Amino acid sequence: MNQINRVAIVGGTHGNEFTGAYLVKKFNQFPDLIAKPNFETVTLLANPKAFAVGRRYIEKDLNRCFLKQELQNQTLESYEELQAKSIQNILASSAKKVDFILDLHSTTANMGLTIILVNNHSFNLKLAAYLNYINPLVKVYRCSFQSFEENPFLNALCELGFAIEVGPVAQGVLKSTLFQQTEKLVHEILDYLERFNQGEIPSTNETLIMYQHLSVVDYPKKEDGAIFGMIHPKLQDRDYQALNPGDPIFLTFDDETIFYQGKSTVWPIFINEAAYYEKGIAMCLTQKLRVNL
């Protein structure tokens, strides 16, 4: 990639994640805020029906609808499946193809400012490293897939770009501090892309601390699927902090502690994410890596 010509800022992929949705609305109202002289910036409210009713989705999680095989399947007819195909046409058709997609999300977990990478493209790694360099509070989580065909997220539509995940913030709520921090991060990304087009790549560290996805952990459940425990108080809100073998992980309703049984230290994220109860995910476990750029 020698030139970024068209950038998409997407919000409201999940309708009850208000930070991104209202940032898109703000940018629509004040387009000069995201205007750059050497590329076009477009905005998209990805799931307007879900946003209108303050729900994550209407029929199916939109951010799981971008598998290549599903986008090509003409028999799929749920609202979100059809919306995914419409978004593909808007952002990835030959006539309108964007070069970079920034998808804005929020979480109820205590994850601060997180960049979510879905591939190992050097451009994305260097941009993430730059953002971490200018703001060490920015974390980088890599949830890589073997190929585009295996990636169900909206960012599968474009090789360049990533999601921004910010929290903690309740679903259907705006939190001004996180709104401002997210907006600042968006502007820093746009500034980087502008400087890239001018041949001025900002300097950064030669290494990047990254949290590589390992696995997910479900809540303790009975045979009928009913939860009988919750995140242990000593683990709650400790996203990106080390979880060692033998550390408390869950507390049952009869006050029994369940300890982490893994063989090595991990770094959990998305701890107690509200939207993940339905997915059977209490947290995601990651490995902390130092990556040479």
Side-chain angles (χ1 to χ4, degrees), residues 25-138:
K25 284 184 167 292
K26 177 176 179 176
F27 295 149
N28 287 341
Q29 184 177 358
F30 305 104
D32 288 348
L33 291 175
I34 54 174
K36 294 294 181 182
N38 57 28
F39 60 82
E40 178 189 8
T41 307
V42 298
T43 57
L44 176 67
L45 183 63
N47 199 332
K49 284 189 177 180
F51 174 68
V53 294
R55 289 166 51 186
R56 182 175 175 86
Y57 55 83
I58 300 300
E59 296 182 78
K60 183 178 179 181
D61 190 330
L62 177 60
N63 209 34
R64 304 298 185 272
C65 291
F66 291 91
L67 284 170
K68 185 176 181 180
Q69 63 190 44
E70 295 188 4
L71 291 171
Q72 296 174 344
N73 188 341
Q74 300 301 314
T75 67
L76 300 179
E77 296 183 338
S78 76
Y79 165 69
E80 273 82 12
E81 288 164 342
L82 295 176
Q83 188 67 5
K85 294 176 183 179
S86 175
I87 292 171
Q88 180 190 38
N89 185 57
I90 293 171
L91 300 182
S93 66
S94 57
K96 305 175 182 178
K97 186 175 178 62
V98 298
D99 301 307
F100 187 97
I101 296 177
L102 187 59
D103 190 19
L104 307 179
H105 289 260
S106 57
T107 173
T108 61
N110 187 29
M111 289 174 59
L113 299 173
T114 295
I115 302 299
I116 300 181
L117 301 177
V118 295
N119 61 44
N120 298 316
H121 197 291
S122 61
F123 185 95
N124 294 331
L125 287 172
K126 290 177 181 178
L127 173 51
Y130 170 74
L131 297 172
N132 173 257
Y133 175 72
I134 61 176
N135 182 0
L137 295 179
V138 172

Side-chain angles (χ1 to χ4, degrees), residues 256-284:
E256 292 290 331
T257 295
I258 297 176
F259 299 94
Y260 174 58
Q261 299 297 315
K263 296 181 179 180
S264 61
T265 299
V266 292
W267 285 260
I269 64 172
F270 283 113
I271 298 172
N272 209 17
E273 161 59 45
Y276 285 177
Y277 275 76
E278 69 176 28
K279 300 181 186 298
I281 298 175
M283 69 196 75
C284 297

Side-chain angles (χ1 to χ4, degrees), residues 10 40 45 64 112 167 176 182 211 222 243 250 258 284 289:
V10 182
E40 178 189 8
L45 183 63
R64 304 298 185 272
S176 58
T182 306
Y211 296 84
K222 300 178 181 178
L243 177 67
F250 294 113
I258 297 176
C284 297
L289 302 174

